[in-house]
Amino acid sequence: MSKINKCLFPAAGYGTRFLPATKAMPKEMLPVLTKPLIQYGVEEAIKAGINTMGIITGRGKRAIEDHFDISYELEHQIKGTSKEHLLNDIRDVIDGCTFSYTRQNHMRGLGHAILCGETLIGQESFAVLLADDLCHNKEGNTVLSQMVKVYEKYKCSVVAIEEVPADEIHKYGVIKADELETNIYRVSDMVEKPSREDAPSNMAIIGRYILTPDIFDILRDTKPGKAGEIQITDALLTQAKKGKVIAYKFDGKRFDCGSVDGFIEATNYFYNHSKES
Ligand code: G1P
């Protein structure tokens, strides 16, 4: 199993918590300051040495494809003006990566979305990044970069985890695990969105995964679980039982930009950070 070269971005969800803003605009395009969430995700993947991006889209998501493409009209208008530098980051992203898209045409859960990405990944280990979990590390050592290092050591699937308060545990996949070394755990159980009483711990999975390619066959055999959807958490539990899955308590901050509160918190944090640097 070699280097991680590809990252999947499941982006077919409706973003109902942000209606009406997300009625005609993908939730992944909501900006924190001036940058859409999905661009933060792509930049995080690039910092982890990845330059092949696979995006799982759906109806009404074309703005994502346009964002990661050249806008000749805009380039023409802005060239030589004082605003041109505002396009520097996105130009670098477009020049440095390839983007491929496939559609998830039924909403059957995150596991199903990842399975739809098989055609973009093939038989190699890959990263998965959920753009509404926005992560930041002050030293620039991104969560995905940290996870790639863990993967290189353990050569198995890796999930990022964070301790969350008891009243929020029902929003996440939750693990039970034994500590192998500081911040690195071997998973023995995993439950998707348990009640507070049934949660095996307070360690929640956040939207960063590195998956080995056998996950696709496992997902094909995974029955619908919580909410009648195919859950990546259930597939990972199968993988953990057959072999090994590592949970990694990352170094950095994470914002749940899938919720209005988390989005506002992220906006304030990034604004203050931009003033400091
Ligand atoms: C998904 C996963 C869940 C994970 C979460 C992280 O849930 O199913 O296990 O904890 O992402 O953000 P979602 O937030 O898509 O409902």
Side-chain angles (χ1 to χ4, degrees):
M1 279 183 242
S2 56
K3 198 177 161 290
I4 303 295
N5 297 307
K6 297 181 180 173
C7 185
L8 272 189
F9 296 80
Y14 295 125
T16 45
R17 275 182 283 176
F18 281 90
L19 283 171
T22 49
K23 182 165 175 270
M25 181 181 74
K27 63 171 175 161
E28 295 77 14
M29 290 300 294
L30 290 171
V32 167
L33 309 189
T34 55
K35 198 185 286 184
L37 285 172
I38 193 152
Q39 189 180 334
Y40 284 95
V42 168
E43 289 177 2
E44 181 177 333
I46 293 172
K47 289 203 180 107
I50 297 170
N51 59 17
T52 304
M53 312 296 166
I55 305 192
I56 317 295
T57 63
R59 285 176 290 279
K61 298 280 185 166
R62 287 218 184 133
I64 298 177
E65 292 177 48
D66 290 338
H67 186 70
F68 294 114
D69 196 357
I70 297 166
S71 164
Y72 285 102
E73 214 175 289
L74 180 63
E75 291 286 343
H76 178 74
Q77 288 289 330
I78 215 165
K79 201 165 178 54
T81 73
S82 61
K83 302 231 175 77
E84 194 175 356
H85 70 280
L86 297 175
L87 288 180
N88 286 351
D89 286 358
I90 186 65
R91 280 177 179 164
D92 289 347
V93 166
I94 294 168
D95 288 346
C97 307
T98 59
F99 291 86
S100 306
Y101 300 85
T102 190
R103 281 195 180 203
Q104 181 188 17
N105 45 24
H106 295 285
M107 292 299 116
R108 291 192 184 136
L110 180 56
H112 177 250
I114 292 171
L115 186 52
C116 291
E118 183 180 19
T119 169
L120 305 177
I121 298 295
Q123 279 303 307
E124 59 184 281
S125 297
F126 61 102
V128 175
L129 191 151
L130 307 185
D132 51 15
D133 273 335
L134 178 54
C135 294
H136 188 253
N137 172 290
K138 280 200 169 148
E139 284 76 47
N141 183 18
T142 66
V143 176
L144 219 47
S145 312
Q146 297 169 39
M147 291 173 75
V148 165
K149 290 205 185 80
V150 176
Y151 166 79
E152 280 164 358
K153 178 162 181 191
Y154 288 91
K155 307 277 185 232
C156 65
S157 292
V158 181
V159 298
I161 52 161
E162 178 174 75
E163 292 183 36
V164 302
D167 61 346
E168 286 184 22
I169 205 80
H170 65 278
K171 298 183 192 164
Y172 299 95
V174 182
I175 63 157
K176 183 174 167 198
D178 305 305
E179 192 165 13
L180 297 179
E181 52 182 301
T182 312
N183 295 333
I184 296 185
Y185 302 79
R186 182 169 182 165
V187 172
S188 57
D189 198 9
M190 272 177 151
V191 192
E192 178 67 7
K193 304 198 172 88
S195 66
R196 193 180 176 140
E197 294 72 35
D198 294 337
S201 75
N202 64 345
M203 293 195 283
I205 302 168
I206 64 119
R208 300 288 182 281
Y209 304 80
I210 289 182
L211 302 173
T212 53
D214 54 313
I215 200 75
F216 293 125
D217 280 339
I218 298 174
L219 278 167
R220 252 185 289 282
D221 290 340
T222 301
K223 303 266 171 304
K226 191 88 186 181
E229 296 182 333
I230 297 174
Q231 300 294 349
I232 189 64
T233 306
D234 296 341
L236 279 163
L237 178 58
T238 305
Q239 219 180 27
K241 285 186 173 157
K242 281 190 185 168
K244 187 168 57 182
V245 169
I246 294 291
Y248 171 63
K249 203 192 278 178
F250 63 93
D251 181 19
K253 269 191 91 57
R254 194 255 335 179
F255 301 93
D256 172 16
C257 289
S259 76
V260 174
D261 286 351
F263 194 91
I264 299 298
E265 208 189 312
T267 302
N268 287 328
Y269 174 90
F270 278 81
Y271 182 73
N272 292 331
H273 183 72
S274 76
K275 295 285 160 196
E276 283 164 21
S277 48

